[in-house]
Amino acid sequence: MNFACPVCHGPLLVSEDQTCLRCELGHSFDRARQGYWNLLLPQRKRSRDPGDSAEMIQARRRFLDAGYYWLIAEQVGQLLIDRLGQDSSPRILDLACGEGYYTAQIEEALNGAGLTPELIGLDISKPAIRAACKRSQQVEWLVATGADIPVPAGSLDAITLMFSRIMAQPMARALKPGGLLLVVWPGAEHLIELREAIYDQVRKRELSPAEALSPWFEPLHEEKLSFDFEVSSADGLSDLLAMTPHGQRIRAQAREALLERGQLDCHADIRIGIFQRSVEPAALPE
Ligand SMILES: C[S@@+](CC[C@H](N)C(=O)[O-])C[C@H]1O[C@@H](n2cnc3c(N)ncnc32)[C@H](O)[C@@H]1O
Ligand SMILES: [Zn+2]
């Protein structure tokens, strides 16, 4: 375990009984009953309960546990094994890990390939990390902000960032020079049927993280993962809505119509990009 104090950025040492982290200046953080560390400072919160709500988390958990996105988890695991396989215990952070589905899948895949990674799952949402604790006891789960990742500078071999906002500078700071960043983001056709059922006009925007990452990262590889899946119950559709931003934007009437239909053929259009932390990156703030 190698964390940095979110107040002074000095190293955090774990107490003998493993229940408390403390830095040299005396800032201390207790381990929560569920097993995670809360390193989110109150002044870092923009709201009382930042990040995804308990309802969104439970919906995402049910949806992901149903296996609809298993292919994504499998491919991410394989890419990490291919790229990190020479190092038997890489230190990997799953940033904005949500309720930990992908983190746990990554752990399983790497263990299956004979690697013993040191895995950290970090999210700003307390309900997300509480749920994540139930997925694995080997992963170090953190409630913290990705805007100030509480690990020593240059201490990570890899970061995974899936379906989440790009926080380029803090990721560059936390990674070793030459470290890997694996980003998963939705392509223009992702969940197109769902969006067509919700919006009068569907915008097909192609997002790419490359520009936001460019001062500190070099693109190494990009691939497209497309597959179809069927959601065949109103509950499944309700979960899919609740775990996407669409759920908050859908009008009541459209929502009712969709749930009444109780079935939707869906298309997943996913991009996976691998970036490398530049060896001589642009200057980073301390
Ligand atoms: C769309 S979810 C993706 C979760 C997970 N990666 C997955 O694919 O299942 C985005 C996550 O980002 C988290 N989040 C939002 N702002 C954050 C921040 N500043 N630092 C860390 N996590 C954040 C939310 O709480 C939420 O769990
Ligand atoms: Zn401190």
Side-chain angles (χ1 to χ4, degrees):
M1 194 183 324
N2 189 7
F3 296 128
C5 174
V7 182
C8 67
H9 295 125
L12 283 173
L13 297 176
V14 66
S15 62
E16 237 167 70
D17 62 0
Q18 308 272 316
T19 60
C20 177
L21 289 173
R22 187 186 291 273
C23 73
E24 273 187 0
L25 297 184
H27 305 121
S28 73
F29 307 88
D30 292 335
R31 196 192 275 275
R33 192 167 35 88
Q34 294 85 350
Y36 65 89
W37 300 103
N38 188 346
L39 300 181
L40 183 62
L41 303 175
Q43 62 268 35
R44 277 280 181 183
K45 293 188 187 180
R46 296 225 179 103
S47 64
R48 208 171 74 89
D49 300 308
D52 283 7
S53 66
E55 291 72 34
M56 289 173 83
I57 294 300
Q58 291 315 324
R60 183 169 303 125
R61 165 150 297 193
R62 287 189 296 267
F63 181 86
L64 292 171
D65 277 344
Y68 295 113
Y69 281 2
W70 186 76
L71 283 172
I72 304 173
E74 186 190 37
Q75 186 59 8
V76 166
Q78 193 52 53
L79 286 167
L80 288 174
I81 292 165
D82 292 348
R83 301 266 169 176
L84 297 171
Q86 319 82 312
D87 182 352
S88 62
S89 359
R91 191 159 196 250
I92 306 172
L93 167 68
D94 188 19
L95 184 57
C97 64
E99 52 70 64
Y101 172 77
Y102 295 105
T103 329
Q105 295 278 348
I106 289 168
E107 182 192 23
E108 206 178 306
L110 269 60
N111 286 162
L115 307 181
T116 46
E118 192 187 326
L119 255 180
I120 306 166
L122 178 158
D123 202 281
I124 202 167
S125 155
K126 202 183 269 188
I129 291 297
R130 282 197 176 143
C133 285
K134 297 190 189 131
R135 292 226 184 252
S136 167
Q137 295 187 345
Q138 264 66 56
V139 174
E140 287 286 359
W141 302 107
L142 299 182
V143 174
T145 174
D148 188 13
I149 302 169
V151 298
S155 65
L156 298 175
D157 294 295
I159 295 179
T160 51
L161 182 74
M162 308 190 52
F163 302 108
S164 297
R165 200 163 56 84
I166 301 291
M167 293 172 266
Q169 237 179 55
M171 294 193 297
R173 191 194 140 275
L175 277 170
K176 290 178 184 167
L180 292 182
L181 169 65
L182 188 152
V183 188
V184 176
W185 70 97
E189 301 287 327
H190 188 52
L191 297 179
I192 188 76
E193 305 78 6
L194 184 73
R195 285 149 62 208
E196 280 169 357
I198 295 175
Y199 305 110
D200 296 334
Q201 273 196 324
V202 174
R203 280 190 300 164
K204 287 196 184 176
R205 261 194 315 152
E206 187 77 60
L207 305 161
S208 170
E211 201 181 319
L213 294 171
S214 64
W216 302 290
F217 291 90
E218 283 150 27
L220 290 184
H221 170 81
E222 184 175 323
E223 65 185 51
K224 185 175 168 164
L225 178 60
S226 300
F227 56 91
D228 296 319
F229 62 98
E230 183 196 0
V231 181
S232 55
S233 71
D235 285 348
L237 286 169
S238 169
D239 285 343
L240 180 57
L241 279 176
M243 66 174 252
T244 62
H246 310 300
Q248 277 135 48
R249 297 186 199 129
I250 189 169
R251 286 195 298 268
Q253 221 178 352
R255 184 189 172 83
E256 237 169 70
L258 186 66
L259 297 189
E260 210 159 283
R261 212 162 119 182
Q263 190 276 347
L264 195 67
D265 291 315
C266 297
H267 180 67
D269 176 26
I270 305 294
R271 302 286 180 277
I272 307 179
I274 300 182
F275 299 82
Q276 184 165 41
R277 195 330 196 139
S278 314
V279 176
E280 287 179 33
L284 287 167
E286 262 316 292

